Amino acid sequence: MGHPGKGGSETLPERKTPMLHSLQLLTLFLGARLDRARDDERGASAVEWVIITALLVGIAAAVGAILLNTIEDGANSIDLGI
């Protein structure tokens, strides 16, 4: 499951940590954008666009996580004959 010479589960958290930081940054960004949209005098259309954007980003992140897990599982199932 891990690299030779390293503990088997040590590499898994290292791979997920950058994604976690990216998701936290994205959450902060979208939260700030939502706050600005609420204060905008143009009305509900800005808030609606922020919500739509947040939903699309969430869907893209979920699809990316599913693809990443599927690809990693497929790569880990390859017998290298070592």
Side-chain angles (χ1 to χ4, degrees):
M1 299 289 180
H3 296 291
K6 291 186 177 182
S9 63
E10 290 179 14
T11 58
L12 188 59
E14 292 173 3
R15 288 183 184 169
K16 293 197 178 207
T17 301
M19 186 174 189
L20 178 63
H21 291 295
S22 297
L23 289 175
Q24 289 172 337
L25 180 63
L26 181 63
T27 302
L28 289 173
F29 172 74
L30 290 175
R33 188 152 181 190
L34 182 60
D35 288 340
R36 278 185 282 159
R38 284 184 184 149
D39 295 336
D40 195 353
E41 294 181 12
R42 290 182 284 177
S45 64
V47 175
E48 290 170 358
W49 279 110
V50 170
I51 292 171
I52 290 168
T53 302
L55 288 172
L56 291 174
V57 168
I59 291 169
V63 169
I66 291 169
L67 286 174
L68 179 66
N69 286 334
T70 302
I71 291 169
E72 283 181 345
D73 289 344
N76 289 335
S77 69
I78 296 172
D79 182 22
L80 298 177
I82 298 176

